[in-house]
Amino acid sequence: MLFIIGLGLGDEKDITLRGLECVRKCEKVYMEAYTSLLSFGLASDGISSLEKLYGKTITVADREMVEEKADQILSEARTSDVAFLVVGDAFGATTHSDLVVRAKSLGIEVRVVYNASVMNAIGICGLQLYRYGETVSIPFFTETWKPSSFYEKIQKNRGLGLHTLCLLDIRVKEPSLESLCRGRKEYEPPRFMSINTAIEQLLEVEQMEGQSVYNDDTLCVGFARLGSESQMIVAGTMKQLRSIDFGSPLHCLVIVGKTHPVEEEMLDFYKSGTENLEQDVVNVAA
């Protein structure tokens, strides 16, 4: 059997009791490490904490391994119980659906254990989850590649008065273009997009497109390390958030649509630190 198990957003303790029971019964445990990361990233001591609690050796599976060696994982699941651990919820990232489809097509039984993900944890800021439109991803720009397909989606959301969750790029074990040209893979250092970079790119695209979808004065909410003890949540304009140091990853951003009075009341709790940016930003989410 193949178990797809959500780990939640913080650390090793965020796994559910059901998930923990499933992990402990499995002969092989994989942990995906390309759609998101727990608060400790891929640090060896963090992985050791997982292994100590779970009582299992964990194989960290990057995108390359899952895409190129999925057959190995599925082959093992034919004859034994295999756990595939996912940060957040099992299906918070659509890439895991492919693994499930392949398993089912081979007649392998699949069991899913759900958990919290960024898709619902953002509710902490007070913006009601059913008032969100399509979620968008913001990739890192390069000098020659500046995709802007997210702009139209944000435009549609804002036209309907809906909020937009922006998921920010994570680049872990990405081969460099130069090494690929030489036919030998060499990997770039890990990169995690910050809220500041995301806003800079969003405003750059607005300047290019010129449809007045948003601007410096557009209200947003910045989230850093959501679900961990050091999480930071600040509401303010794009201009204000652009000047704040949100600290270590992971970050995400919400572009606020039309708000209900109850939403506005809750958002006010997260505006501390943006009225006067010369003062230290208060971690109002602690």
Side-chain angles (χ1 to χ4, degrees):
M1 180 181 294
L2 176 65
F3 291 88
I4 312 290
I5 301 171
L7 294 182
L9 296 170
D11 55 27
E12 72 277 6
K13 296 178 182 177
D14 280 2
I15 193 170
T16 65
L17 288 175
R18 185 183 302 277
L20 184 58
E21 289 174 354
C22 292
V23 169
R24 287 177 173 171
K25 68 181 287 186
C26 288
E27 295 180 31
K28 196 71 181 283
V29 180
Y30 293 91
M31 177 177 170
E32 73 95 350
Y34 55 89
T35 61
S36 189
L37 298 173
L38 289 173
S39 59
F40 51 73
L42 294 176
S44 58
D45 56 342
I47 300 298
S48 295
S49 296
L50 287 173
E51 293 178 331
K52 183 177 179 180
L53 176 62
Y54 302 165
K56 294 288 181 178
T57 299
I58 296 174
T59 300
V60 176
D62 56 29
R63 184 189 300 276
E64 192 174 284
M65 177 180 182
V66 174
E67 290 179 350
E68 297 179 6
K69 299 182 180 179
D71 289 342
Q72 175 186 323
I73 298 173
L74 296 175
S75 177
E76 293 168 345
R78 278 180 177 274
T79 56
S80 61
D81 290 333
V82 175
F84 188 76
L85 309 182
V86 178
V87 176
D89 183 60
F91 293 108
T94 56
T95 53
H96 304 124
S97 298
D98 178 63
L99 190 62
V100 173
V101 169
R102 293 178 65 177
K104 287 183 174 292
S105 67
L106 293 171
I108 299 169
E109 188 176 352
V110 178
R111 185 171 298 175
V112 177
V113 182
Y114 304 99
N115 209 320
S117 79
V118 65
M119 305 294 285
N120 53 38
I122 53 172
I124 190 174
C125 74
L127 297 176
Q128 296 159 0
L129 294 178
Y130 58 83
R131 294 172 63 87
Y132 278 78
E134 184 175 356
T135 296
V136 303
S137 296
I138 312 294
F140 277 113
F141 286 177
T142 68
E143 290 184 5
T144 57
W145 188 67
K146 296 184 179 182
S148 59
S149 58
F150 55 79
Y151 184 81
E152 184 178 350
K153 295 175 184 178
I154 296 172
Q155 184 177 37
K156 288 180 180 178
N157 287 346
R158 290 183 64 76
L160 295 170
L162 302 175
H163 315 307
T164 305
L165 169 61
C166 302
L167 300 177
L168 311 188
D169 204 358
I170 298 172
R171 299 183 66 81
V172 178
K173 203 175 179 182
E174 295 283 344
S176 66
L177 180 60
E178 184 180 344
S179 71
L180 290 175
C181 291
R182 292 200 306 264
R184 184 181 62 192
K185 285 185 180 179
E186 294 177 359
Y187 300 101
E188 299 176 348
R191 297 175 66 198
F192 307 96
M193 184 180 289
S194 67
I195 289 164
N196 318 76
T197 297
I199 291 174
E200 288 172 3
Q201 293 189 179
L202 282 162
L203 291 173
E204 183 177 351
V205 170
E206 174 57 64
Q207 202 167 36
M208 287 166 27
E209 299 290 338
Q211 298 296 313
S212 300
V213 174
Y214 47 78
N215 55 44
D216 267 337
D217 296 322
T218 299
L219 182 62
C220 296
V221 185
F223 301 81
R225 300 169 302 283
L226 192 58
S228 73
E229 291 185 3
S230 67
Q231 72 178 9
M232 181 175 177
I233 305 169
V234 181
T237 64
M238 284 191 172
K239 182 178 181 180
Q240 290 170 331
L241 297 190
R242 192 178 181 183
S243 304
I244 292 174
D245 180 4
F246 282 87
S248 57
L250 297 172
H251 296 184
C252 66
L253 178 73
V254 168
I255 301 173
V256 180
K258 292 182 181 178
T259 52
H260 184 277
V262 174
E263 291 178 302
E264 293 170 6
E265 188 175 6
M266 187 77 166
L267 273 180
D268 284 341
F269 288 108
Y270 296 97
K271 289 182 180 177
S272 298
T274 56
E275 287 82 0
N276 184 352
L277 294 178
E278 294 179 357
Q279 299 177 358
D280 290 336
V281 177
V282 178
N283 182 358
V284 292

